[in-house]
Amino acid sequence: MTDLLDRLRELQVSSICDADKSLPVVDPAIRALVPDVSMAGPAVTVSCVDDHLPMFAALSAARPGSVLVVAGAGGHRAVSGELFATEAKRRGLAGIVVDGLVRDVRGLRGIGLPVFARGTCPASGGTSDPGTVDEMVSFGGLVVSPGDLVCGDDDGLLIAAPDRLAEVVDTAEGIEAAERALVSAMRNGHDLHSLTTVVEHVAALRRGEPSALGFKI
């Protein structure tokens, strides 16, 4: 698992998605609030519906390198903010992702821990629900189980079982290597069309033949 996570952390989420377009992607309305960050880690799940007390239980349960997956179920109050992000970073967590609202954005950016949410609200939730951790939750249109791997960057979030991601990591690394070569070639004056099979691909499609777009590099 450690090797897989190390490799996933080096990849863009878009490359993982390109390696298998059927991988489950989180609702894009849940977006990165801290720019220029990326993460990969196993999910620790918790439900927080207009109540942030369960975050204490989730932080206690989370191990270094894990990601808090917070199911907000359409709540209208912030359930996480600067204090929880500071503690998460202190504990060595990889990030916090919230299907709901957070606050203290300026503080979050200063901490630098990856935080994803649907939006912000200055008003916090209550403190009456002790919380339940590590049960299956609905998050961003997906069903997330404890231990699923969460991959995130500025483009969004992907959550899938470890075995599914292990199947595609080689392909994703190959895609990134090819794209780096393409960018380098274009910077040296080559045009994108000549570096791909787009002409042949379009011609084959017009003839009604099966085809796939490829690289010439």
Side-chain angles (χ1 to χ4, degrees):
M1 175 73 81
T2 300
D3 177 64
L4 175 61
L5 284 170
D6 287 342
R7 295 170 71 185
L8 291 172
R9 291 187 190 105
E10 296 299 317
L11 290 166
Q12 298 179 79
V13 178
S14 59
S15 300
I16 304 171
C17 291
D18 284 348
D20 182 351
K21 294 185 183 297
S22 70
L23 285 169
V25 176
V26 170
D27 183 349
I30 300 174
R31 61 192 186 279
L33 297 185
V34 179
D36 300 322
V37 294
S38 61
M39 65 178 179
V44 174
T45 59
V46 62
S47 293
C48 294
V49 184
D50 285 340
D51 193 318
H52 59 266
L53 187 58
M55 290 292 290
F56 286 91
L59 284 166
S60 295
R63 302 182 66 179
S66 59
V67 177
L68 293 189
V69 177
V70 184
H76 301 289
R77 297 285 183 127
V79 296
S80 187
E82 184 176 7
L83 295 180
F84 291 134
T86 300
E87 178 63 8
K89 186 169 185 179
R90 189 191 70 80
R91 289 173 178 260
L93 273 61
I96 300 174
V97 299
V98 183
D99 188 353
L101 306 177
V102 302
R103 66 179 189 175
D104 307 326
V105 175
R106 184 183 303 173
L108 295 178
R109 290 170 180 162
I111 296 164
L113 183 81
V115 174
F116 291 70
R118 286 191 180 273
T120 61
C121 177
S124 67
T127 55
S128 59
D129 178 10
T132 303
V133 178
D134 271 343
E135 292 187 351
M136 191 177 295
V137 296
S138 176
F139 182 92
L142 307 179
V143 175
V144 179
S145 298
D148 283 350
L149 297 187
V150 183
C151 301
D153 60 22
D154 294 82
D155 287 333
L157 292 168
L158 162 69
I159 305 179
D163 57 348
R164 287 206 66 187
L165 292 174
E167 291 172 356
V168 303
V169 67
D170 287 343
T171 302
E173 289 171 340
I175 289 169
E176 286 214 349
E179 290 187 348
R180 285 194 298 269
L182 284 171
V183 169
S184 177
M186 285 188 285
R187 286 174 176 167
N188 288 321
H190 296 277
D191 69 279
L192 177 61
H193 294 64
S194 68
L195 297 169
T196 69
T197 62
V198 63
V199 174
E200 298 92 330
H201 176 55
V202 170
L205 292 177
R206 293 187 187 282
R207 293 192 299 268
E209 299 172 359
S211 180
L213 183 64
F215 303 141
K216 294 181 179 178
I217 197 166

